Amino acid sequence: MRPVAATLGPLQPYITTTHCKGPVRVEDISTTPCSTPCSTPYATPLPATDTPSPGGRWLRPLGYAERFMTMSHDYGCMTTVYALWLESRVPLDFEMVKHASVLMYRKMPNLRLYLDYRDGQYWWREMTREVVDVEEMTSDDVEGTVQRLVRRRYRMFDGPLWFTRFVTVGSGDDYERDSNHNVKYKYVCIFGFHHNVSDGSTNMKFCQVFLNVLNDLAAGRTIDLRQEGIFPAPLQDRLGEEAGSRLFYLGIFLRRLYTIVLTFGIPVWNFITVYRMPRNREAATHLLQLELNEITTSRLLRRCKMEGVTLNSAFTAAANLALYSMVMAKNPNLGQASMCSQQVINMRRYWPEELRPNTLGCHISLLDLSFPTEEEDLDAFWEYARRVHDLLNYHLTETKRALKLQQMSRSLSLIIFFNAVLAKLGLPSGNDNHYTLTNMGNLSKTFSGSGDEVEATRLLRTVSCHFMPTLCQHTLQTFRGRLSYSLDYYTQKLTRETAYQYARGILQLLTNAIHTPN
């Protein structure tokens, strides 16, 4: 690792915040907490324009996934928002959170990037000014605030491509006492990232480093300013080009053209014919959050291990069977049906092992799979889950289908455009999968949430994907011993009632399966 200054050179600190009623130029950012409230604007906001301006070091052209995420931004998609519920032994204030955000800019190279044109294509470029978008908010509805913030647009050719929101809940003096009568103050930090510059693994790294910095500031310790991680080229692009073939890509493209555009989503007809998509011209991503307690989560994980499947496979099985059960309730003669999913895959798994650690950026792809499902599977959950597990593992390790599909991210831009037009016309969207599944796994190693002064007790993640060719997206992770699960549903595809019925059905199947006889 090397000091940030070695990469950036001289910087002009610059912070954007509504807490101070305007942008504020910070003349001296030290490594000790700031205590003086700012009140006077000293700088003018950057113009909201996509016109390139003289900038810093050119890094590299965008990869396949990065270009797709960038083009999706024009339609309000591919913005990621995280919320962390914090408990602190000492009071926190906006100045401390703002200070921590400035330090994050210095420590993580992906936070210093913006877009520019070079040789007829998008390139990553490094910012020359220390720009951090931080605001203070008060809200009694954190999930509603997250839902609004996920609609936020970024200034792609100026930066920054991320933001911080410090939320005080209610009157701002929310606290409780633990079993030892120690006071714990409660806050929420919300972070937004454009998906072209980050993925789930990168964002978990951000959350861990941010919590470390916040703990150091709260305790008055000296801050470690060494850079965290690197921003490498997407190695999976080259590996995918070597693994795939033009005939393979042509076949996939023609199939998606038929299933999404020409038939308006024939793979999901088994569901949308009985749960019709709302005629909603305002397409948006909304969310539901649920979780299992520590005891239930522990029992579920033990049962998965005993049955020889991963939690991801068990959840996929439950997601399929919950859909099937909902359809069968309205169509008893359903028979065998295919439940189609897109699994989000961390493409670092295909990199040489020595190149994987501390890599930041967007390094994901989608694995689309269809699971034949029938009524008998409802009474044989673990047998069905093992079939799901075997199919997932086969395509991850044998066919490496996700790697071959890497280049297909370019064609997804056409689907985003197609569904955006349909939404404006008030017509049903085109879909070729029932859902997308993102599994962050057990976060105990990547983001423990613990700290001497400040700790995170709850985590929420959402991504705006309402024009993607699926009805909804599941996000799950095990955090602090609990299965934390959120469902992103799209208002022009599912009603809130249907989405809630689906989400509850999944967790009910999982909890029932814990005690299902072999």
Side-chain angles (χ1 to χ4, degrees), residues 184-210:
K184 288 188 175 180
Y185 299 91
K186 294 179 175 293
Y187 308 94
V188 178
C189 275
I190 300 176
F191 308 105
F193 309 92
H194 196 287
H195 218 328
N196 63 1
V197 78
S198 69
D199 58 14
S201 299
T202 300
N203 294 335
M204 285 295 93
K205 177 76 170 180
F206 173 96
C207 290
Q208 184 61 61
V209 176
F210 181 88

Side-chain angles (χ1 to χ4, degrees), residues 448-469:
S448 64
S450 59
D452 297 335
E453 302 294 336
V454 188
E455 59 182 0
T457 59
R458 185 180 168 198
L459 170 69
L460 173 63
R461 175 183 187 267
T462 184
V463 185
S464 58
C465 294
H466 39 274
F467 292 138
M468 285 288 284

Side-chain angles (χ1 to χ4, degrees), residues 212-282:
N212 293 343
V213 170
L214 197 58
N215 268 279
D216 287 342
L217 290 174
R221 293 189 291 261
T222 301
I223 309 299
D224 181 357
L225 288 178
R226 290 179 297 176
Q227 180 167 295
E228 302 276 356
I230 60 173
F231 187 75
L235 178 58
Q236 64 274 8
D237 287 4
R238 179 171 61 81
L239 297 175
E241 291 169 355
E242 295 172 354
S245 67
R246 291 187 178 181
L247 186 61
F248 173 82
Y249 298 134
L250 179 61
I252 297 295
F253 177 79
L254 292 177
R255 179 178 66 81
R256 302 200 81 167
L257 176 68
Y258 172 75
T259 57
I260 298 176
V261 178
L262 300 182
T263 67
F264 282 82
I266 193 172
V268 300
W269 280 4
N270 51 18
F271 185 83
I272 63 174
T273 52
V274 292
Y275 293 92
R276 296 192 176 276
M277 290 188 280
R279 292 298 181 93
N280 191 340
R281 288 177 179 266
E282 185 181 4

Side-chain angles (χ1 to χ4, degrees), residues 131-150:
V131 182
V132 180
D133 181 359
V134 191
E135 292 181 11
E136 185 177 37
M137 307 174 66
T138 299
S139 175
D140 291 320
D141 181 11
V142 175
E143 292 183 12
T145 301
V146 169
Q147 196 164 277
R148 290 190 297 273
L149 286 173
V150 80

